[in-house]
Amino acid sequence: MSEEIRPFTIDIPQADLDDLRERLSRTRLPRQLPGAGWERGVPAGHLAELIDHWATAYDWRAHEAELNAHPQFVTTIDGQDIHFLHVRSPEPDATPLVLTHGWPGPVVEFLDVIGPLSDPRAHGGDPADAFHLVIPSLPGFGFSAPLAEGGWTLGRIARAWAELMARLGYARYGAQGGDWGSGVSRELGRIDAEHVIGVHVNYLLTFPSGRPGELDGLGGDDLKRLEALDRFRGELGGYMAIQTTRPQTPAFGLADSPAGQLAWIAEKFQEWTEHGVDRDRMLTNVSLYWLTNTADSAAQIYWEFAHAWSMPERSPTPTGVAVFPYDIAPPVRRLAERTDRITHWTEFGHGGHFAAMEQPEALVGDVRAFFRSLR
């Protein structure tokens, strides 16, 4: 198998952008109950405003250029093309760091942290905190598509990332991620512990095991977090129930209707954040799913996880956790200690699930502090 690393540039055909705008102009909105709010899903009025902006004011080319300002590559690992950004720091002794996104956030979610992490000297930071950044697209997401085959579990993705870092010549590196990126980073720290110096996550679901007395003495804040977990698994988990069981079926609508794709993702940026995120940044996120036609392939990670799930094995790698209060279900440290070697834990006062987009300065500061402790 070739280990060639091929340069890559995003260049979406103009015909695809014209088709997107034409489809948006013909959007048929659903008839909704009078006064229906977010408790039933995305309100039509909210989506109509986003559709209008996407069709008439949003400039994909500007955001495509922003992505292309960073060196991008594609390489084939385990039969799958993997797209990644590789941003080397101007500091020669920078620590290599692989950043892994989740769903529904492709590599776009890291754009605001690339500069501060790779070149702290230029952003008012200590050059000793610099990182060489490797930012892959998960298999089936964005330009790591189409999927060559099924079976891309978190463990298999982590093994691919270990191969990618070795292929790039990084023998000692860190890992960071949120959402699925958290799971991949944890697995990477477990299966490649001899090379991974530390794992930092800004999302960590912690589940009670049901053992007697396990929750005795938990404070009120932790009990509220467990209540939030129950809400996520129930009321807010409809999308997950679908994507873990029948991901192909809704994908027909998502692949054919940009408004449908927008609604599917915009709901998450409403419900999983404190105050939302920049509108154009979110539309760049959605545009990547639409323009690469990856609604189906990206959702497969849920199916693979559900069909290969087992209790996580304990990771021996030092782990840092950044807790943002408006995340889906913030973790309970006592439960996190069962499966992770927690050496760093920070509670923030603001921010939600998409930390790199909502609170980039806070996330950057915490990543720097965690890996500084491992130098």
Side-chain angles (χ1 to χ4, degrees):
M1 182 183 298
S2 172
E3 295 187 358
E4 179 188 10
I5 295 175
R6 311 181 294 276
F8 181 85
T9 300
I10 302 171
D11 186 15
I12 298 298
Q14 185 59 42
D16 291 355
L17 300 178
D18 294 341
D19 175 71
L20 168 60
R21 290 193 175 92
E22 195 273 332
R23 287 172 183 260
L24 289 170
S25 73
R26 294 188 292 106
T27 298
R28 185 177 71 165
L29 295 173
R31 294 179 177 178
Q32 295 185 334
L33 288 172
W38 282 96
E39 71 280 357
R40 293 176 183 262
V42 180
H46 177 84
L47 200 73
E49 292 179 3
L50 287 175
I51 290 170
D52 180 69
H53 182 78
W54 197 10
T56 63
Y58 173 78
D59 182 359
W60 163 260
R61 292 300 185 200
H63 299 280
E64 181 182 74
E66 184 179 12
L67 283 162
N68 282 333
H70 303 294
Q72 297 174 67
F73 304 88
V74 172
T75 192
T76 303
I77 302 175
D78 195 9
Q80 176 65 43
D81 280 351
I82 300 296
H83 161 262
F84 63 99
L85 281 63
H86 187 195
V87 183
R88 287 189 59 84
S89 172
E91 309 296 338
D93 296 327
T95 301
L97 180 67
V98 56
L99 299 174
T100 308
H101 66 86
W103 184 94
V107 293
V108 171
E109 71 178 74
F110 292 119
L111 284 175
D112 292 332
V113 302
I114 290 175
L117 286 175
S118 64
D119 192 4
R121 188 192 300 269
H123 293 81
D126 184 345
D129 290 328
F131 297 93
H132 297 308
L133 300 177
V134 178
I135 311 175
S137 296
L138 290 167
F141 286 70
F143 301 102
S144 290
L147 282 173
E149 62 181 1
W152 281 96
T153 62
L154 299 188
R156 186 177 179 186
I157 296 170
R159 289 190 291 274
W161 277 200
E163 169 61 23
L164 175 61
M165 297 303 278
R167 197 171 289 185
L168 293 172
Y170 294 134
R172 180 180 182 273
Y173 63 94
Q176 200 284 328
D179 196 84
W180 288 116
S182 169
V184 172
S185 298
R186 284 193 65 263
E187 279 295 291
L188 188 54
R190 191 179 65 79
I191 67 172
D192 199 25
E194 62 181 302
H195 298 118
V196 178
I197 61 173
V199 170
H200 182 281
V201 299
N202 56 277
Y203 174 75
L204 185 64
L205 282 181
T206 50
F207 297 90
S209 66
R211 298 188 184 112
E214 180 181 35
L215 305 182
D216 289 353
L218 281 184
D221 288 343
D222 283 338
L223 293 176
K224 288 180 180 178
R225 291 179 178 187
L226 293 178
E227 291 174 2
L229 176 62
D230 287 340
R231 182 172 181 246
F232 171 56
R233 297 165 76 181
E235 177 192 348
L236 300 182
Y239 82 97
M240 186 164 54
I242 293 172
Q243 294 191 158
T244 56
T245 56
R246 296 295 185 271
Q248 293 180 168
T249 303
F252 287 96
L254 301 180
D256 192 57
S257 167
Q261 178 68 87
L262 176 59
W264 194 242
I265 291 178
E267 180 188 81
K268 307 312 169 197
F269 282 99
Q270 172 70 24
E271 294 186 330
W272 297 354
T273 64
E274 182 177 8
H275 300 299
V277 299
D278 178 80
R279 180 169 56 177
D280 278 8
R281 186 70 89 213
M282 182 185 72
L283 288 173
T284 302
N285 184 324
V286 178
S287 295
L288 261 181
Y289 281 89
W290 174 260
L291 295 169
T292 58
N293 192 14
T294 48
D296 185 316
S297 57
Q300 298 302 320
I301 194 170
Y302 286 85
W303 194 95
E304 302 291 356
F305 177 80
H307 289 76
W309 186 86
S310 62
M311 280 298 291
E313 296 183 34
R314 182 170 177 79
S315 171
T317 303
T319 301
V321 183
V323 181
F324 291 89
Y326 292 89
D327 204 345
I328 299 168
V332 174
R333 179 161 186 170
R334 184 196 297 179
L335 301 182
E337 298 277 4
R338 296 178 315 181
T339 55
D340 295 273
R341 183 184 161 198
I342 307 295
T343 62
H344 176 96
W345 185 281
T346 307
E347 300 268 352
F348 289 97
H350 296 281
H353 190 64
F354 304 96
M357 301 172 77
E358 296 177 73
Q359 296 288 328
E361 291 184 6
L363 182 63
V364 165
D366 204 60
V367 170
R368 288 174 178 171
F370 170 64
F371 285 101
R372 190 183 305 137
S373 71
L374 301 176
R375 289 205 297 264

